[in-house]
Amino acid sequence: MRNYSKSSYDHPSKLVGVRAGDMRVSEYYELDRTQPELDFVDVDISTDVTVFLDPRAIRIQDSDWAHECQTMLQSFFAEVLEAIHRQEEGRVDYLLGRLSEPNETHLGFSRGRSRGRGLGGVGAEKVAEAITNSRAASTGLLSDLEDSALLVPGIGKDIISDIATHILRGALIGYTQRACEYYGIPLERQHSGHIWNPDELRWDEGWVDLPRADEAPLLLVPKSIVRFEMTLDKDKYYNGFLAPMLESKEIDAGSNLVTILKNGSPKVYRDQLKGKYPANKLAIIGYTQEFPDALPRYKNSISKLTSPVLTHEQLARALDVPVPDYDALLERMLAVAPGSAGATLYHRAAEKLLTALFFPYLGNMRMEREIHEGRKRIDIVYDNLAALGTFYWLGSQYRAAEVPVECKNYSDDLANEQLDQISGRFSDQRGWVGFITCRKFTDKALFLDRCRDTAKDGRGYVIALDDDDFAELVRERKFVVDAKPRDKAMFHLVRERFDSLIR
């Protein structure tokens, strides 16, 4: 099997043997963070929270990790469908029979302690039977796992989330290990469970390093890939893509469903249409066969804009977690004294503030370590998740799929060396936009001129932020808290600072 483990972590043991009660991951491991400052869903470790891993949310992301997940999802479900079409019952049983309710993520509908009840409380055998015997599978309409939400009776968001979690277990293990390394969560050697191997098209298993909480293994899930409902929605598909074609069909036929309006135009009322063409899954399969372009058009319409990442406020309402306290985060960063002694404290405080400020437009935060002249150099890297606003514009116009950040707690002004360090992170694949943060400038205009020169030389666009800029970003974020989504996504200071690079 692939090597998903990292046994070299050296973290102190925390809360060994303590029963959790009602505690979130952040509380159990004393992370000194709340949900807005964490990249993963801060679940209750003893029960489930009602958000769901959405495969389509992963498919619309563009990052190395998302591409790894997409390969796993596509290879698994393609193998399932191939086995169904060939009537290879043993192969189908092997592929789907390894599935159960994945309690390690604490996502779903369980009440009380998370517990294995089979997929969605139904059981792997019945789920396998539902997919195998569905008209959607036999007619070739199914192509992706999430299509089941539209076309397979009995398959809902909890089952799709559970199946996706199993398929992506290997990727989630890797994500969890990296998150634990950054946040200081201790790991223990334990059985991996079944891990889908997309290269060999088989289930593997072995031993990996994962956290344990409340006497059970824990898998962390990025906030960016969970939703309250599946992105592919049966009612949206029917109302937005099938019903208009059915209405046109009735109008062309001049049926008794057609009403002529005063202006002479024909009209089919939706409630009457549904009386003749019900919106259940079995009926939808027939409509999809009749109008073969409808499903591809619906799936192609899904984007970051139509299925945005959940906001701080949405997560706060659903999970009973705090909204960001931007002032407190800023104060903690400003309280760190400039200089090498406070470098780590500043890095952590600046990252907390950045993570809260820029979510949900930047996410999937991670660090990358490199050895440079015997020192560890830590870059913060975010994926660009934006569907609108400044970060979306940067991604579409200036190749900013990833946005690296360098945090410098220097007491002196930054120099060309620091500019060269972050510009060395840029590439066509990763992107050409990044941030460098520091405490203050003696001559801010001079450093911004150097950033402009770097851009003119074709070495990338470096946006510099000092303590005063962070204070302005906090004021702006608080000001737009009740604004329209597009206004929230603007980040005028960021846009103005970038515009100064290209003048």
Side-chain angles (χ1 to χ4, degrees), residues 32-227:
D32 191 27
R33 291 173 181 254
T34 59
Q35 181 67 88
E37 303 120 58
L38 292 167
D39 189 65
F40 58 84
V41 183
D42 193 16
V43 297
D44 188 318
I45 62 173
S46 61
T47 188
D48 287 353
V49 297
T50 51
V51 295
F52 304 89
L53 194 160
D54 181 2
R56 185 57 54 167
I58 296 171
R59 294 187 195 276
I60 60 178
Q61 290 190 24
D62 183 19
S63 68
D64 289 343
W65 189 78
H67 295 160
E68 176 188 0
C69 293
Q70 291 160 15
T71 297
M72 291 180 169
L73 290 167
Q74 196 65 39
S75 63
F76 176 82
F77 207 62
E79 193 68 9
V80 169
L81 294 175
E82 182 69 17
I84 291 174
H85 293 157
R86 292 185 177 182
Q87 298 183 338
E88 296 174 346
E89 294 183 9
R91 179 65 173 165
V92 173
D93 289 344
Y94 168 78
L95 293 169
L96 297 177
R98 301 299 189 273
L99 306 176
S100 61
E101 186 177 30
N103 301 313
E104 303 99 316
T105 62
H106 296 278
L107 307 181
F109 282 129
S110 286
R111 295 291 179 262
R113 289 181 59 85
S114 298
R115 57 198 184 276
R117 302 168 298 143
L119 291 173
V122 174
E125 289 186 4
K126 290 185 177 180
V127 170
E129 182 179 353
I131 295 175
T132 302
N133 296 334
S134 69
R135 280 183 57 199
S138 63
T139 56
L141 293 180
L142 282 182
S143 60
D144 298 319
L145 168 63
E146 58 270 31
D147 295 347
S148 304
L150 307 176
L151 303 171
V152 181
I155 304 296
K157 59 189 177 184
D158 52 338
I159 293 177
I160 291 174
S161 177
D162 287 351
I163 295 175
T165 300
H166 277 289
I167 300 168
L168 300 176
R169 185 184 297 275
L172 291 173
I173 287 173
Y175 172 85
T176 299
Q177 290 172 338
R178 290 187 293 272
C180 289
E181 182 178 9
Y182 184 79
Y183 294 116
I185 298 174
L187 304 174
E188 297 181 32
R189 200 72 168 168
Q190 50 199 302
H191 190 257
S192 64
H194 289 99
I195 296 174
W196 177 247
N197 184 328
D199 298 323
E200 302 295 333
L201 301 177
R202 72 183 186 210
W203 291 108
D204 291 336
E205 55 186 316
W207 295 88
V208 298
D209 293 325
L210 283 175
R212 290 186 70 83
D214 200 18
E215 302 177 0
L218 180 66
L219 276 178
L220 304 178
V221 178
K223 292 186 293 187
S224 69
I225 64 172
V226 299
R227 300 291 188 271

Side-chain angles (χ1 to χ4, degrees), residues 263-283:
N263 62 7
S265 60
K267 172 74 174 179
V268 176
Y269 289 99
R270 190 59 55 89
D271 57 343
Q272 294 179 335
L273 184 78
K274 286 186 177 181
K276 182 174 181 178
Y277 299 101
N280 60 67
K281 289 185 178 183
L282 287 177

Side-chain angles (χ1 to χ4, degrees), residues 26 97 119 134 138 184 192 206 215 258 281 312 324 326 353 362 383 391 403 426 446 498-499:
S26 59
L119 291 173
S134 69
S138 63
S192 64
E215 302 177 0
V258 179
K281 289 185 178 183
H312 289 308
Y326 298 114
L353 180 53
L362 300 183
D383 289 339
F391 287 111
V403 179
F426 298 145
L446 175 61
F498 182 88
D499 286 345

